[in-house]
Amino acid sequence: MKKIITLISTTLITFGIYAQSNTSFVSADVIVHNAKIYTQTAAQPQASALAVKGGRIYAVGNDADILALADEKTQVIDAEGKRMIPGLEDSHIHPLNERNFNYKVRWDGLPTLKRALEMLTEQAARTPEGQWVKVTGGWSPYQFKENRHPTIEELNKAVLNRPLYVQYAYNKAFLNKLGMKELGVGTAMFPELPEGEFEKDKKGNYTGVINGYTFTFLALDAMLPAPTPEEEVSSLIHVIHDLNRFGLTTVLDATSIFGYPDGHTPLKTLVNENKLNIRFPFVDVGWDQSTNAPFVDTEIKRITKIGPVSPGQNLHPTMEHGYEYEGMGEAIRGEIHDHENFDKPTYIIPKERMIQYAEEDVRKLIQKRIPFRMHVTYNENITPFLDAFEKVVQTTPLDGMRWSIEHAETITPENIERLKKLGGGIALDNKMAIHGDAFVKTHGKEKALYTPRLRNLVDSGVPLSLTTDAFRVSPANPWLAISWAVTGRSVSGSVVLAEDNRLTREEVLKLFTIGAAWFENLENEKGRIAPGNYADFVLLNKDYFTVAEDEIKTISSVLTVVDGRVVFGLGKYTDLAPKLPEPLPYWSPVKYFGGYHWDK
């Protein structure tokens, strides 16, 4: 019997060796080693190396085991001990609205108003006749050392020879004298702006300062010179480059002013040329500027007749979930869109109007199985929306269809629980990081400390992400949001979050990774550095988990990988990434100032 067992064992071992010797070795496409990897998986929380094959991670472990998967074709990258995290995802951002990005002076992250004004003067000298000097959002007066807005006198002095337009979030805008003349302000040629308020001096003359809400400034921006198709593509390339530098590997476009499909032309150009360096899921608002038809009706027409596409359908030919339709959003009807202007009191929508339109529109969307995202900032408007929603699902069940509320800054614990029971998520933005000081002035410090209820939201278990809502109301830098949620401090350094309302570094990172992936129904394939997940990851310039709290906001990527491809590199990794082309037009402010301001 012993001899028989020995014979069988020998035969099996021989067969195994023979089988292995006849199996060709499959090497990794990319290996990164000598890293401090935070995997965000409980079974293997830390590692030092990973291997990529076919756009996915297929092995994570120690250097020796992973390097054994390399051959002469493998791209091997030494991380030099740097921290690696899963690629970040912003689940509510508006990159397609930045088709004129290269026309703008960016004040994002700039530390002083003095330098901001100097940049305007410098750019005015380069801007050709027929064009404007523009700053369109992404900044806050509270980020400046001076802790204030520019005055209209300072702006007129800074730019004398070109029309100037400066926009602060969706709160306020400034036109210099030439800008007012160009648009015909105060004459019959200037159109009436929705909810716009023009300031006047003591003599009754327009000063050039305009207060208003979202649609006020969308209308103003639309009056200014538009880029050429080539400039739109160039702008999108430079937008994505900035996003990659932040460590973003996915952005969920939360609606473009120019909607699907025609408004996606510059994006489609990058897709067709295989130059899209970020995953780009999107929702579409259905807003048709040529008609007063409800957004929902025009959206259904778009995706069933004009540019047929199904929710969850990927339109990218080579990258999984590279360019994918995720449903409708962020508004479902203009009449029930509240406005998050923290310089003004709470914007309350009449309860009857909210219930009527929400019930009509939500029912249509559920019947068509179109996931949707509803912009509601204030709890006073969330309550009637949920009242309508609860009524709808009694007769029109969701059957697992995902939906969300966007922003929800002042949502109460009671409404968090109602939303959770309805299967909804919350895409929570970082406005309090950028504009929290304004909220304190308008609503008081006590309310600000628990706006939003971060701790309650995380502990509730409701699907949750943290977002920037860039590029008008906020910079696209997720590290400002992360810093605020950890430290409780706004960009001014003021405390705007109570100590018991803050999150750990691990909790916040999850909101920008796995939490964000929920909004694409991909939380099991993204947000982790684990076998089977997409090969989207980032090497950081500083160790997020050990750096001092006040340095979190200075973190950025030195190497960003999307779908297994290096899309951004800094320092020794620069040559691994595609070369960034010169921005168009030739006089672009981006050519001279860049996008986000990085301290040298």
Side-chain angles (χ1 to χ4, degrees):
M1 185 69 182
K2 208 170 188 182
K3 289 182 180 180
I4 294 173
I5 293 172
T6 302
L7 181 61
I8 293 172
S9 300
T10 303
T11 302
L12 290 173
I13 291 169
T14 302
F15 178 77
I17 292 171
Y18 176 81
Q20 290 176 26
S21 67
N22 282 273
T23 301
S24 59
F25 175 73
V26 180
S27 64
D29 296 334
V30 179
I31 286 176
V32 183
H33 67 105
N34 190 20
K36 290 188 288 187
I37 302 177
Y38 180 72
T39 67
Q40 210 153 236
T41 62
Q44 189 186 23
Q46 305 289 337
S48 63
L50 62 78
V52 174
K53 188 71 178 178
R56 292 194 181 238
I57 297 167
Y58 85 94
V60 179
N62 61 49
D63 286 3
D65 289 346
I66 301 302
L67 286 169
L69 302 174
D71 68 6
E72 68 279 359
K73 296 179 181 178
T74 304
Q75 181 181 32
V76 179
I77 301 172
D78 184 352
E80 296 187 333
K82 291 182 173 61
R83 172 64 68 185
M84 180 190 290
I85 61 170
L88 302 181
E89 174 170 358
D90 193 329
S91 64
H92 187 118
I93 188 171
H94 299 273
L96 269 179
N97 280 344
E98 296 306 301
R99 63 189 65 235
N100 58 358
F101 183 81
N102 289 357
Y103 277 25
K104 301 175 184 179
V105 177
R106 304 299 310 188
W107 286 353
D108 311 34
L110 203 65
T112 69
L113 178 58
K114 178 178 181 292
R115 178 57 188 149
L117 294 168
E118 290 171 351
M119 290 167 68
L120 297 182
T121 303
E122 292 169 19
Q123 184 55 38
R126 287 188 286 262
T127 302
E129 283 193 38
Q131 293 289 346
W132 287 57
V133 179
K134 291 179 61 175
V135 181
T136 311
W139 61 279
S140 164
Y142 307 105
Q143 78 193 42
F144 296 137
K145 179 182 177 182
E146 295 88 343
N147 198 36
R148 64 174 176 86
H149 285 286
T151 65
I152 195 64
E153 291 78 16
E154 288 172 324
L155 293 172
N156 274 306
K157 183 179 178 181
V159 181
L160 296 169
N161 64 330
R162 292 290 181 268
L164 170 70
Y165 176 71
V166 175
Q167 180 180 321
Y168 164 55
Y170 285 119
N171 299 23
K172 185 186 290 284
F174 305 85
L175 291 166
N176 72 348
K177 291 177 181 177
L178 276 178
M180 286 197 290
K181 182 179 179 181
E182 185 77 17
L183 294 181
V185 174
T187 71
M189 69 176 280
F190 189 78
E192 183 177 341
L193 292 176
E195 299 185 282
E197 303 168 3
F198 272 81
E199 289 186 5
K200 294 183 179 180
D201 62 21
K202 293 179 180 178
K203 296 181 180 180
N205 299 315
Y206 291 111
T207 64
V209 180
I210 307 161
N211 296 296
Y213 293 105
T214 311
F215 300 130
T216 310
F217 305 108
L218 292 179
L220 267 172
D221 193 36
M223 298 177 199
L224 308 186
T228 66
E230 293 78 15
E231 290 166 351
E232 289 184 345
V233 173
S234 179
S235 288
L236 194 54
I237 288 171
H238 282 266
V239 167
I240 292 171
H241 181 265
D242 261 22
L243 297 172
N244 290 154
R245 182 167 182 174
F246 294 134
L248 286 159
T249 56
T250 299
V251 284
L252 202 161
D253 192 279
T255 69
S256 168
I257 298 167
F258 303 99
Y260 175 83
D262 293 343
H264 285 220
T265 299
L267 178 60
K268 290 176 181 177
T269 298
L270 295 185
V271 170
N272 294 336
E273 295 178 0
N274 200 27
K275 293 179 180 177
L276 183 61
N277 291 335
I278 201 163
R279 296 187 200 271
F280 210 104
F282 70 97
V283 294
D284 188 61
V285 71
W287 180 27
D288 185 342
Q289 299 175 42
S290 66
T291 178
N292 291 322
F295 293 175
V296 171
D297 293 346
T298 54
E299 179 65 10
I300 291 170
K301 180 180 178 181
R302 282 183 189 179
I303 67 169
T304 59
K305 296 180 180 180
I306 299 174
V309 63
S310 299
Q313 181 178 345
N314 184 27
L315 302 173
H316 197 294
T318 60
M319 181 162 55
E320 291 185 82
H321 301 286
Y323 171 39
E324 186 169 280
Y325 177 63
E326 302 296 344
M328 186 176 180
E330 67 177 287
I332 61 174
R333 190 182 287 248
E335 292 89 340
I336 54 175
H337 181 90
D338 69 356
H339 302 282
E340 65 281 17
N341 184 337
F342 291 163
D343 289 326
K344 295 189 176 186
T346 301
Y347 190 101
I348 298 178
I349 297 165
K351 181 178 178 180
E352 298 75 16
R353 185 201 304 172
M354 173 65 85
I355 290 175
Q356 177 192 341
Y357 288 142
E359 186 176 342
E360 288 178 17
D361 295 341
V362 167
R363 193 179 304 279
K364 289 179 184 177
L365 290 165
I366 297 175
Q367 287 171 341
K368 296 288 185 180
R369 300 294 297 169
I370 300 174
F372 65 92
R373 309 178 67 164
M374 175 66 181
H375 172 119
V376 201
T377 295
Y378 299 105
N379 193 71
E380 289 86 346
N381 301 320
I382 293 173
T383 296
F385 176 76
L386 293 179
D387 290 343
F389 203 120
E390 288 167 343
K391 183 178 179 182
V392 168
V393 297
Q394 289 176 7
T395 56
T396 314
L398 284 162
D399 286 336
M401 193 183 86
R402 294 191 176 183
W403 67 280
S404 65
I405 285 181
E406 310 297 286
H407 311 315
E409 275 93 348
T410 63
I411 191 170
T412 60
E414 295 76 18
N415 277 338
I416 292 171
E417 286 304 312
R418 292 176 72 193
L419 183 143
K420 183 179 178 182
K421 288 178 182 177
L422 289 164
I426 296 177
L428 181 74
D429 70 55
N430 70 333
K431 283 190 189 69
M432 290 296 287
I434 314 302
H435 311 292
D437 299 74
F439 190 95
V440 169
K441 291 177 182 179
T442 305
H443 300 282
K445 182 69 174 283
E446 186 177 350
K447 185 170 184 178
L449 292 174
Y450 292 93
T451 300
R453 295 178 178 272
L454 276 180
R455 173 49 55 199
N456 186 258
L457 283 162
V458 168
D459 290 348
S460 74
V462 69
L464 181 69
S465 69
L466 189 56
T467 79
T468 66
D469 197 13
F471 287 72
R472 308 295 171 88
V473 300
S474 169
N477 186 351
W479 297 101
L480 295 179
I482 293 169
S483 174
W484 158 73
V486 171
T487 68
R489 295 184 181 275
S490 71
V491 290
S492 72
S494 302
V495 174
V496 292
L497 273 182
E499 191 169 350
D500 63 354
N501 195 29
R502 302 171 197 170
L503 305 179
T504 67
R505 301 187 195 206
E506 291 81 3
E507 287 173 325
V508 185
L509 184 61
K510 187 175 180 180
L511 299 184
F512 265 111
T513 50
I514 299 169
W518 181 90
F519 293 82
E520 299 177 72
N521 204 10
L522 287 175
E523 64 270 27
N524 293 319
E525 295 187 85
K526 297 175 69 176
R528 297 178 177 86
I529 296 178
N533 269 227
Y534 295 126
D536 300 349
F537 52 86
V538 183
L539 280 182
L540 302 177
N541 65 337
K542 300 177 182 179
D543 190 337
Y544 169 57
F545 296 104
T546 61
V547 73
E549 282 192 350
D550 62 356
E551 289 189 54
I552 292 175
K553 61 181 178 290
T554 68
I555 291 175
S556 66
S557 169
V558 296
L559 179 80
T560 303
V561 174
V562 177
D563 198 40
R565 297 180 296 115
V566 177
V567 296
F568 173 83
L570 203 60
K572 67 166 284 186
Y573 305 109
T574 301
D575 292 341
L576 301 180
K579 182 176 173 56
L580 182 67
E582 287 284 307
L584 297 175
Y586 71 90
W587 52 268
S588 169
V590 172
K591 181 177 180 179
Y592 301 95
F593 304 127
Y596 189 85
H597 175 83
W598 299 95
D599 289 330
K600 300 297 187 289

